[in-house]
Amino acid sequence: MDEFGIIRRYFTRDASRPGVVVGVGDDGAILEPTPGLLQVQVIDTLVEGTHFHSNMDAADIGYRVVAVNLSDIAAMGATPRWMTLALTLWDKDEQWVEDFATGLFAAAAEHGVALVGGDTTAGDAVVASIHMTGEVEPGKALLRSDARAGDTVYVTGTVGDAAAGLSLFDTAERSDVLVQRFLRPVARIDTGRALGGRAHGAIDISDGLVGDLRKVLDASGVGAELDVDRVPLSEALRSRFGADEALRFAMTGGDDYELCFTARPDDVAGVDGITAIGKIVEGSGLVCRRGGDVVEFDDRGYRHFV
């Protein structure tokens, strides 16, 4: 089947949603933005052998490439609307493509996102890129550069699960709760929207809590003190690994796609599923304390081209 047959069979779906004038099937999509709202544009790419195992289920790859973009939208406090897909394939049969499409549309359907265009090509590895558009009210976008001295540092959910799941990928069942946290991350869209206009600096945790929090600090020109003992760990992580290893996953492991943000406590009262783990201070740098003692963590995370 050629690229046009693949598009027609697996990626042409009903896109009759608000704002979609012309979707898949033409040289370009025609979209009608919501009057009065600002657009947020994000893009993320998953490369076989770098971001996922070659033996990972196609449906999980399709789901994941959408979810990581949804997480960027969430970190901006926006609502996702539309997406395009660029997919490079090699050595994959039609069942693989069908499963990939199933996972992709499952993730998109959770937040009403329409696929409105894209491209398919042949190459020497599977590469999937999603470009996603979201919308946000003026004055409610969350930015990395807005953290302020006196803010409290928060995270959503629990951290470290996905990195632990990745470490178990070749030995545990795919249904294992930690493995599932890696395969199918949950984008915190509702929380991001609830924080709009209330929180300050924000980021999604893709490269590790310590490394990503440092990005917020650098962008905002402030420092932070983190209470390691308050970092939320899941029961699944605690029960599978020792305390030190579980903490290492939580502090430096990536792929959780939880949100880390700063805010005044009164401003985020009533927002569910968040945990206070530290405070923003004048100056620069990040100080982590465990039981009152300063501890160091490797915050480099994953970096391309190094």
Side-chain angles (χ1 to χ4, degrees):
M1 186 179 298
D2 64 21
E3 62 173 303
F4 305 108
I6 290 173
I7 293 170
R8 284 193 301 270
R9 182 167 181 176
Y10 300 111
F11 297 108
T12 302
R13 303 280 181 96
D14 179 18
S16 56
R17 293 177 186 165
V20 180
V21 180
V22 175
V24 175
D26 218 301
D27 286 320
I30 300 177
L31 308 172
E32 184 177 10
T34 304
L37 297 187
L38 303 178
Q39 287 196 0
V40 175
Q41 307 286 339
V42 304
I43 187 169
D44 220 325
T45 299
L46 301 187
V47 179
E48 183 178 15
T50 299
H51 302 100
F52 62 88
H53 291 274
S54 59
N55 61 341
M56 188 169 158
D57 290 345
D60 291 327
I61 299 169
Y63 186 98
R64 186 174 170 79
V65 71
V66 175
V68 300
N69 282 276
L70 286 168
S71 184
D72 283 335
I73 294 289
M76 300 295 293
T79 300
R81 296 293 307 275
W82 314 292
M83 65 182 185
T84 57
L85 166 70
L87 180 63
T88 300
L89 295 170
W90 80 288
D91 192 30
K92 301 300 182 185
D93 59 20
E94 292 183 22
Q95 184 62 57
W96 191 97
V97 178
E98 181 176 352
D99 292 344
F100 175 89
T102 296
L104 178 142
F105 283 109
E110 291 178 3
H111 297 285
V113 180
L115 179 68
V116 296
D119 189 29
T120 58
T121 59
D124 55 9
V126 174
V127 181
S129 295
I130 288 283
H131 172 262
M132 189 173 290
T133 299
E135 294 179 329
V136 65
E137 292 180 38
K140 290 194 173 182
L142 303 176
L143 304 177
R144 296 181 184 183
S145 57
D146 278 352
R148 307 167 189 176
D151 282 355
T152 296
V153 180
Y154 294 89
V155 293
T156 62
T158 58
V159 291
D161 294 338
L166 178 59
S167 77
L168 299 170
F169 186 82
D170 290 326
T171 58
E173 296 292 330
R174 294 296 187 266
S175 59
D176 183 281
V177 63
L178 296 176
V179 175
Q180 280 295 304
R181 282 276 281 156
F182 169 73
L183 293 176
R184 300 216 169 191
V186 176
R188 301 297 185 182
I189 294 292
D190 291 342
T191 304
R193 292 179 61 190
L195 294 173
R198 303 165 72 179
H200 299 148
I203 193 170
D204 69 328
I205 303 173
S206 58
D207 296 321
L209 174 59
V210 170
D212 285 328
L213 177 55
R214 284 190 185 276
K215 296 172 188 174
V216 173
L217 303 181
D218 290 345
S220 299
V222 293
E225 297 177 359
L226 205 63
D227 185 348
V228 171
D229 295 320
R230 299 176 67 180
V231 173
L233 308 180
S234 70
E235 181 58 34
L237 182 61
R238 291 177 183 275
S239 63
R240 185 69 66 89
F241 296 93
D244 288 344
E245 191 169 12
L247 187 60
R248 178 178 61 81
F249 282 129
M251 300 300 289
T252 64
D255 294 313
D256 281 310
Y257 297 100
E258 296 291 347
L259 301 182
C260 177
F261 64 94
T262 77
R264 306 294 189 187
D266 288 347
D267 291 341
V268 294
V271 177
D272 294 330
I274 63 175
T275 301
I277 61 171
K279 62 181 179 181
I280 299 296
V281 296
E282 298 282 357
S284 62
L286 174 63
V287 176
C288 298
R289 290 189 173 86
R290 185 182 186 188
D293 297 325
V294 175
V295 291
E296 299 290 339
F297 293 97
D298 180 356
D299 68 342
R300 290 174 296 175
Y302 183 82
R303 297 184 184 185
H304 294 276
F305 311 119
V306 295

